[in-house]
Amino acid sequence: MTRRYRTEPTQQADSADQRSFSTLLVNLIAGTMPIGLELVLGAQDPVPADQLIAQARDATIVTWLDSDLIIWGKVTGYTRTRWDGLMLRLEDAADEVAILVDRKNLARLQISDAVTLVGRHVIAYGRFTLPEGSRRPHVRASHASVAFIPRVTRTRRSDDAWS
């Protein structure tokens, strides 16, 4: 029997529920991914997990360029982009691949202090690209397809509290 991981059906076809993505990351970090796991991303056909997931140290340009993938690793630093996003550097990343988290994902996760991301593990789904004229590839996290461990928690406002 094959186990399947499903993304949140109410999200776009290329996105994942944050809790499910966090759980996937926990399993990757612990080395407890079930054998034969298939991933179902939106309305796409199931894909074997080992054909879609790469740890940052294994995400090479030669293997992944212009492909969709789920990349994961530990954040060692970041650079702000001119479009108010973050380029996250990852520990021992092959070809210095980074994860681009755009301002929409930052707002969704309510990340205002990027320093708090350093030292956390991150997972993201997106397209592996190498911008023209650059030697450094990145994966641009698709909408709602980035998660951190420890989780980024949202502060509750008083109007959200139970009465």
Side-chain angles (χ1 to χ4, degrees), residues 14 41 44 47 51-54 63-71 124-129 139-140 142:
D14 64 352
L41 300 173
Q44 298 175 16
V47 178
Q51 292 180 15
L52 189 62
I53 299 173
T63 305
W64 293 100
L65 186 62
D66 296 325
S67 299
D68 291 336
L69 86 146
I70 295 172
I71 186 171
Y125 170 70
R127 173 129 333 232
F128 190 109
T129 61
V139 174
R140 181 182 181 137
S142 299

Side-chain angles (χ1 to χ4, degrees), residues 53-122:
I53 299 173
Q55 188 168 7
R57 69 171 177 247
D58 300 322
T60 63
I61 293 171
V62 171
T63 305
W64 293 100
L65 186 62
D66 296 325
S67 299
D68 291 336
L69 86 146
I70 295 172
I71 186 171
W72 67 281
K74 190 173 189 177
V75 178
T76 59
Y78 63 91
T79 304
R80 293 210 176 268
T81 70
R82 60 184 144 178
W83 298 282
D84 298 323
L86 292 176
M87 191 70 74
L88 301 176
R89 293 186 304 274
L90 305 172
E91 184 174 83
D92 299 324
D95 299 321
E96 297 182 36
V97 64
I99 296 174
L100 174 59
V101 182
D102 64 19
R103 88 176 145 213
K104 287 182 182 179
N105 273 311
L106 293 174
R108 179 184 61 80
L109 293 169
Q110 298 179 357
I111 296 171
S112 57
D113 185 6
V115 173
T116 64
L117 301 177
V118 176
R120 295 177 193 242
H121 282 87
V122 63

